[in-house]
Amino acid sequence: MKTINTITLILSLQTLVFIISIPSSHARTFHPKEETLITFTCSHTPYPNLCLRSLKSYLWSGRSDMWGLAGIMLNHVMAETADKALDKTDQLLEAAGARPSQGLISCVSKYFTILDNDIPKAKAAFEIEDPKGAEDVANAAVIDASTCETGYPGHLTQENINMRYAAANTAAIFKLLRSR
């Protein structure tokens, strides 16, 4: 009986020494890399809380590297935000009838530019790993949304804010990639 207790104690101590000797790089349960990467990446954006919410809402973001996070921001967050703004412009066009204002027409044009020109250009830059090109295009989307608010104030304010914030965060992530 004494021998079994001694063996159990020795095995327990060996297990404890083994666990303690595991390098911290292998201890994913204690410091998950993906949580740290998302937090680190978003801390370098102008709207970190929005960035965190946006990235954490996509299940695969936790398994992405920084390029993957930039792709999520570009392909999903920015594209969906522009799509929602364009839906709102459609509603406003219907309500305006035959005589929409020039400001509304300008906003429709800007959101079509973001969806049909800017985002595809940014995706092309992303695919060839050109963070500067993708950053520039995301910054152009920020300007388009700002100009829309100036030309047609008060009607698409929330959509314009959402677009500016999503595009600014996307541009910041690509800028961070460029600095690496």
Side-chain angles (χ1 to χ4, degrees), residues 139-159:
N139 282 325
V142 172
I143 293 167
D144 284 340
S146 297
T147 306
C148 176
E149 185 61 31
T150 303
Y152 194 59
H155 300 283
L156 290 160
T157 301
Q158 193 58 56
E159 290 77 9

Side-chain angles (χ1 to χ4, degrees), residues 85 89 101-114 118 137-157 159-165 167:
T89 62
S101 73
Q102 189 57 38
L104 177 56
I105 293 170
S106 175
C107 283
V108 170
S109 172
K110 291 191 183 317
Y111 278 104
F112 269 120
T113 298
I114 291 170
D118 293 347
V137 175
N139 282 325
V142 172
I143 293 167
D144 284 340
S146 297
T147 306
C148 176
E149 185 61 31
T150 303
Y152 194 59
H155 300 283
L156 290 160
T157 301
E159 290 77 9
N160 292 329
I161 289 170
N162 293 345
M163 187 72 241
R164 285 195 328 258
Y165 288 9

Side-chain angles (χ1 to χ4, degrees), residues 3 7 15 19 23 32 45 52 54 57-58 67 69 77 91 94 116 125 130 132 135-136 154 159 168 171:
T3 308
I7 292 173
T15 303
I19 289 172
T45 65
L52 285 168
S54 298
S57 69
Y58 290 93
W67 273 101
L69 297 177
V77 178
Q91 293 170 8
E94 277 184 37
D116 293 342
D130 173 17
K132 176 71 171 129
E135 177 190 354
D136 290 345
E159 290 77 9

Side-chain angles (χ1 to χ4, degrees), residues 11-167:
L11 288 175
S12 296
L13 287 173
Q14 284 180 333
T15 303
L16 182 62
V17 169
F18 176 74
I19 289 172
I20 292 171
S21 69
I22 295 174
S24 64
S25 64
H26 295 352
R28 284 182 46 91
T29 38
F30 302 114
H31 300 288
K33 175 186 164 253
E34 60 271 2
E35 188 68 31
T36 304
L37 182 60
I38 291 172
T39 303
F40 170 81
T41 302
C42 288
S43 72
H44 288 82
T45 65
Y47 308 101
N49 291 334
L50 175 64
C51 176
L52 285 168
R53 282 193 315 271
S54 298
L55 289 175
K56 287 182 178 182
S57 69
Y58 290 93
L59 296 176
W60 57 90
S61 66
R63 293 182 178 93
S64 296
D65 60 5
M66 197 176 298
W67 273 101
L69 297 177
I72 290 169
M73 289 298 288
L74 173 64
N75 292 311
H76 299 285
V77 178
M78 208 169 126
E80 288 174 10
T81 303
D83 218 14
K84 287 177 184 174
L86 200 54
D87 288 345
K88 178 74 182 258
T89 62
D90 287 344
Q91 293 170 8
L92 293 170
L93 280 171
E94 277 184 37
R99 296 185 163 248
S101 73
Q102 189 57 38
L104 177 56
I105 293 170
S106 175
C107 283
V108 170
S109 172
K110 291 191 183 317
Y111 278 104
F112 269 120
T113 298
I114 291 170
L115 278 169
D116 293 342
N117 188 32
D118 293 347
I119 292 175
K121 279 185 182 176
K123 285 180 180 181
F126 173 78
E127 287 174 9
I128 62 169
E129 296 185 9
D130 173 17
K132 176 71 171 129
E135 177 190 354
D136 290 345
V137 175
N139 282 325
V142 172
I143 293 167
D144 284 340
S146 297
T147 306
C148 176
E149 185 61 31
T150 303
Y152 194 59
H155 300 283
L156 290 160
T157 301
Q158 193 58 56
E159 290 77 9
N160 292 329
I161 289 170
N162 293 345
M163 187 72 241
R164 285 195 328 258
Y165 288 9

